[in-house]
């Protein structure tokens, strides 16, 4: 973090300690800090200490497509491409890479779930562990993935034809083929592995919609779902906005987590996508990062810590002090709590 100096120029004095934007007038910097909600929770570059709004923004800052040259050079030599931490030496990086993996050894339950998933056939095209509402429990994390076939005259319209949901332990909760609401004109077999016989007696889309919506909301009305203290489930996956749209399901963005793309076999398996997303989510959730003092951060979610200060008091603060008092208007990049 940049240290404030009394003899610094006016431009340097009005430089944001988080994102390094510079302002001609101090009041403009104050307004920027009020509206930007910078905080100690934001991901920070290990080279220049610049705060980024999200983990994805930090990745762009370090890797590209237009990274900061100085930071990118250091990162290429001593940075972990997975967690984006920069180490003291290449040797430290090599030691770290042995443990910084998204994958983990699957347990027996995971292997059995995978076996059950693989056994889905046209005659028995659904695997359901227990897609039930449990309103007594707090938020749980589940991963969802869909596979799309093509509709329309040219087969370019995405139609959901297969869906999988797994829990944190990679157990299959729900896995089924889904009969699209429109005629399929391209099964995209090379990537989906789906044939006409898989969808002949598949679950209807409306039936799947109802089951999944109830399961995700977990007994809470959609309009009452909040980002903290509720029972609705946290949802992780890749391209979830698109998948939910194709399923016709509404779900609040505050409970949608990492979006990833995995590389694997030619035929893309929704179970593997779910597992990859869940492993990434759990890996990032375990990252060490600063936290606000007190159990609840001493603040209400969505309220900036600078709101309790008047304009003159803020203008007397250094940029670093303003940053220390500023709080985020969204949940921590670890995605669960402040």
């Amino acid at each position: 973090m940049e240290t404030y100096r009394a003899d610094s120029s006016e431009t340097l004095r009005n430089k944001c300690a988080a994102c390094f934007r510079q302002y001609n007038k101090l009041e403009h910097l104050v307004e920027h800090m009020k509206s930007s909600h910078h905080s100690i929770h934001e991901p920070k570059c290990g080279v220049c200490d610049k705060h980024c709004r999200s983990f994805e923004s930090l990745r762009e800052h370090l890797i590209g497509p237009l990274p900061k040259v100085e930071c990118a050079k250091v990162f290429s030599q001593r940075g972990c491409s997975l967690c984006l931490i920069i180490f003291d030496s290449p040797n430290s990086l090599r030691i770290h890479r042995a443990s910084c993996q998204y994958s983990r050894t699957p347990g027996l339950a995971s292997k059995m779930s995978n076996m059950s998933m693989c056994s889905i056939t046209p005659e028995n095209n659904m695997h359901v562990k227990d897609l039930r509402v449990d309103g007594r429990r707090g938020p749980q994390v589940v991963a969802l993935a869909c596979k799309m076939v093509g509709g329309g005259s040219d087969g370019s319209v995405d139609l959901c034809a297969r869906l999988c949901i797994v829990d944190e332990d990679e157990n299959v909760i729900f896995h089924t083929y889904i009969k699209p609401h429109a005629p399929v004109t391209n099964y995209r077999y090379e990537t989906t592995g789906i044939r006409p016989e898989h969808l002949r007696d598949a679950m209807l889309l409306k039936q799947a919609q109802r089951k999944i919506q109830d399961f995700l909301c977990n007994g809470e009305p959609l309009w009452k779902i909040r980002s903290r203290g509720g029972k609705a489930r946290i949802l992780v996956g890749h391209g979830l906005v698109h998948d939910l749209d194709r399923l016709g399901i509404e779900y609040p963005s505050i409970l949608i987590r990492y979006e990833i793309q995995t590389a694997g076999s030619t035929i893309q398996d929704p179970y593997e996508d779910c597992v990859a997303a869940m492993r990434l989510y759990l890996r990032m959730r375990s990252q060490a990062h600063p936290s606000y003092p007190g159990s609840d951060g001493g603040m209400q979610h969505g309220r900036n810590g600078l709101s309790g200060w008047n304009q003159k008091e803020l203008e007397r603060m250094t940029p670093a002090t303003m940053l220390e008092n500023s709080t985020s208007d969204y949940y921590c990049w670890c995605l669960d709590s402040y």
Side-chain angles (χ1 to χ4, degrees), residues 236-255:
V236 303
H238 166 68
L240 285 174
V241 173
H242 177 261
D243 286 354
L244 294 175
D245 178 67
R246 295 295 87 190
L247 287 167
I249 293 175
E250 293 184 35
Y251 205 59
S253 59
I254 54 175
L255 291 180

Side-chain angles (χ1 to χ4, degrees), residues 131-133 163 165 174 178 203-219 247-250:
L131 198 63
R132 72 180 188 274
V133 174
L163 180 141
I165 300 176
F174 185 64
I178 295 177
M203 178 180 288
L204 296 177
L205 178 61
K206 286 187 177 180
Q207 184 182 0
Q209 286 174 344
R210 184 169 58 253
K211 285 179 175 289
I212 297 166
Q213 185 88 66
D214 292 345
F215 174 71
L216 293 177
C217 292
N218 199 24
L247 287 167
I249 293 175
E250 293 184 35

Side-chain angles (χ1 to χ4, degrees), residues 138-327:
Q140 304 113 65
V141 182
V142 296
L144 178 148
C146 297
K147 289 305 165 192
M148 307 290 174
V149 292
S153 59
D154 59 353
S156 63
V157 179
D158 286 341
L159 302 172
C160 180
R162 190 177 176 188
L163 180 141
C164 184
I165 300 176
V166 305
D167 62 18
E168 287 192 45
D169 296 319
E170 302 174 11
N171 299 314
V172 175
I173 298 174
F174 185 64
H175 191 192
T176 183
Y177 290 108
I178 295 177
K179 193 167 188 176
H181 58 80
V184 178
T185 55
N186 184 355
Y187 284 87
R188 305 174 184 174
Y189 177 77
E190 294 77 9
T191 57
T192 65
I194 297 175
R195 298 181 182 275
E197 55 266 29
H198 292 142
L199 307 182
R200 189 170 297 130
D201 299 316
M203 178 180 288
L204 296 177
L205 178 61
K206 286 187 177 180
Q207 184 182 0
Q209 286 174 344
R210 184 169 58 253
K211 285 179 175 289
I212 297 166
Q213 185 88 66
D214 292 345
F215 174 71
L216 293 177
C217 292
N218 199 24
E220 286 191 314
L222 188 64
W223 60 272
K224 287 186 67 175
I225 290 178
R226 54 196 185 279
S227 56
R228 195 172 194 176
K231 300 172 184 175
R233 291 176 166 92
I234 293 171
L235 184 62
V236 303
H238 166 68
L240 285 174
V241 173
H242 177 261
D243 286 354
L244 294 175
D245 178 67
R246 295 295 87 190
L247 287 167
I249 293 175
E250 293 184 35
Y251 205 59
S253 59
I254 54 175
L255 291 180
I256 294 177
R257 299 302 189 248
Y258 283 109
E259 307 242 352
I260 60 121
Q261 179 62 59
T262 58
S265 59
T266 303
I267 294 180
Q268 300 168 359
D269 195 304
Y271 174 80
E272 294 177 357
D273 287 353
C274 284
V275 168
M278 183 61 76
R279 290 176 180 177
L280 175 59
Y281 168 77
L282 295 176
R283 175 70 183 91
M284 297 314 302
R285 190 176 67 180
S286 67
Q287 290 273 42
H289 55 284
S291 58
Y292 294 115
S295 58
D296 61 355
M299 58 167 289
Q300 293 181 5
H301 176 63
R303 293 186 58 187
N304 198 326
L306 300 178
S307 59
W309 304 83
N310 61 43
Q311 183 73 15
K312 290 185 178 180
E313 289 175 323
L314 290 173
E315 290 181 2
R316 285 196 293 267
M317 291 183 183
T318 66
T321 303
M322 276 194 283
L323 177 58
E324 290 174 0
N325 285 278
S326 179
T327 51

